[in-house]
Amino acid sequence: MQIEAGVSLKTYNTFGLPAVAGRLVRITADADVRRLLELPGLGGAPKFVLGGGSNVILTRDMPELVLKVEVKGIRVASETADAFIVEAGGGESWHDLVAWTLDHGFPGLENMALIPGTVGAAPVQNIGAYGLELQDRFDSLDAVDLVTGRSVRLDASQCKFGYRDSIFKQALAGKSLITRVRFRLPRRWQPVLGYLDLERKMAETGNHAPDARTIFDWVCAIRRAKLPDPAVIGNVGSFFKNPLVTAEQCRDIIARDPHVVHYPMDGGGFKLAAGWLIDACGWKGKTVGHAGVYEKQALVLVNRGGAIGSEVQTLARAIQESVYGRFGIRLEIEPVVV
């Protein structure tokens, strides 16, 4: 177990924001957490769990003890009559896991290709894209209690998944570190194609029965066309959640703006495209300080070079106020703001 002092976090968050961790510990196994908790002066210190840094906005230095999750390994943990259970370490790259499952003949995660971040962070956010969410393929996970050091296994019901939400953003926020996640990948795979961008790909190519690898390639191409590479332009992907509204609210908005992009949800409600709302308010391509709105996708905020966390916050608040003023909808920020 490594304990480092005065570590710059600029390369550990994909927005590229400046911040320094007073102390950083690299966690490669459950036992590392237990050893840490036994250390005088560190065991009881406030802690912050850091994965790939792709869903965090740092606005200050970190006096907390930063736990960098680096648990590795991908394997088939078990098989059932209807599924393969694939397990991955919390420190593995999410996209690398998706590619691994396809390379080894276990489709099911392809719609979520190229989402930045780590496997361990994925359940926290209940990540999703192009008609599929993590909870649709989730089996269970292992986590370590950051107070007692006890390892626990949680199933889907215990994780309390919601839209970009889970128990790890609620009751267990800051209290657990996810070390391994298991996914239930169906033996009888069926494509998930009911998303507009994928329907366009089918129409463009004439391929209306794509296999999993084709969907993976399509999703990668769509994301690369819309979203900036964090290695080139600092960003955290989608900055705001797509708002959920009632059918009545949706009708009211359509009456004022017939072109609003919306999707029906189970239960009769609708999901609105936050990027469309932001674009309609004229924010695409705009800049505040060194933080800006991406020219190709208004849902993405970017680092124009040298941005600091407070500039990102100022831009985000201005967008929220603008959207609320026009549509009466309060956009919720998706990444964790520290």
Side-chain angles (χ1 to χ4, degrees):
M1 184 177 62
Q2 297 174 268
I3 301 177
E4 304 167 34
V7 179
S8 170
L9 299 177
K10 190 170 184 177
T11 59
Y12 290 153
N13 74 96
T14 61
F15 214 103
L17 298 171
V20 174
R23 286 170 295 187
L24 181 143
V25 183
R26 300 180 188 278
I27 303 297
T28 60
D30 299 46
D32 288 343
V33 178
R34 287 188 279 273
R35 283 194 290 268
L36 176 66
L37 295 178
E38 294 171 356
L39 294 177
L42 293 182
K47 299 171 182 66
F48 181 83
V49 178
L50 181 65
S54 62
N55 196 50
V56 63
I57 298 297
L58 301 176
T59 67
R60 57 168 172 81
D61 290 338
M62 302 289 288
E64 301 91 340
L65 186 61
V66 176
L67 308 184
K68 183 77 169 62
V69 182
E70 297 184 352
V71 181
K72 298 293 186 179
I74 304 175
R75 68 187 182 103
V76 177
S78 62
E79 299 181 22
T80 68
D82 60 353
F84 298 99
I85 309 301
V86 174
E87 178 186 273
E92 290 285 352
S93 155
W94 172 262
H95 179 70
D96 288 351
L97 167 66
V98 177
W100 186 97
T101 59
L102 289 179
D103 290 343
H104 290 78
F106 308 119
L109 299 177
E110 55 282 340
N111 292 56
M112 295 187 283
L114 218 60
I115 295 178
T118 58
V119 168
V124 177
Q125 191 75 357
N126 186 23
I127 62 171
Y130 300 101
L132 191 70
E133 293 192 336
L134 177 134
Q135 65 181 7
D136 300 326
R137 297 288 185 256
F138 182 80
D139 178 77
S140 60
L141 61 77
D142 296 337
V144 184
D145 188 298
L146 292 177
V147 175
T148 66
R150 185 170 64 94
S151 294
V152 295
R153 179 165 294 191
L154 302 181
D155 61 21
S157 64
Q158 292 169 312
C159 288
K160 300 186 184 302
F161 291 124
Y163 175 59
R164 302 296 170 266
D165 197 17
S166 72
I167 194 171
F168 299 102
K169 295 181 74 174
Q170 306 296 334
L172 292 183
K175 298 178 181 178
S176 294
L177 183 149
I178 297 170
T179 52
R180 281 170 295 278
V181 186
R182 282 168 290 279
F183 303 90
R184 180 175 293 273
L185 305 182
R187 287 181 182 271
R188 294 187 177 182
W189 172 83
Q190 293 291 327
V192 177
L193 298 169
Y195 206 88
L196 182 59
D197 285 333
L198 295 179
E199 291 175 354
R200 286 172 177 162
K201 281 291 186 183
M202 288 189 288
E204 289 171 7
T205 62
N207 183 355
H208 293 275
D211 59 16
R213 176 65 68 175
T214 299
I215 295 173
F216 174 90
D217 291 339
W218 284 355
V219 168
C220 288
I222 293 167
R223 291 185 71 91
R224 288 186 175 119
K226 283 186 174 183
L227 306 174
D229 182 349
V232 180
I233 303 174
N235 74 93
V236 291
S238 300
F239 199 90
F240 298 98
K241 295 181 181 180
N242 290 320
L244 305 179
V245 299
T246 66
E248 183 180 1
Q249 287 174 310
C250 193
R251 283 195 298 270
D252 289 344
I253 293 172
I254 291 173
R256 285 179 279 132
D257 290 272
H259 300 295
V260 63
V261 178
H262 58 286
Y263 304 95
M265 303 290 288
D266 293 338
F270 287 83
K271 179 168 66 175
L272 304 182
W276 188 93
L277 300 175
I278 297 166
D279 191 12
C281 291
W283 280 101
K284 186 182 285 186
K286 296 291 182 64
T287 298
V288 172
H290 296 88
V293 180
Y294 191 48
E295 291 78 2
K296 296 181 181 180
Q297 170 54 271
L299 192 55
V300 178
L301 303 192
V302 296
N303 187 342
R304 300 288 191 202
I308 58 176
S310 60
E311 291 174 327
V312 181
Q313 283 185 298
T314 299
L315 175 59
R317 290 188 186 119
I319 291 170
Q320 288 172 312
E321 291 171 6
S322 182
V323 170
Y324 182 75
R326 175 166 175 178
F327 297 101
I329 291 174
R330 295 193 184 279
L331 292 182
E332 186 178 349
I333 291 175
E334 191 167 313
V336 175
V337 179
V338 180

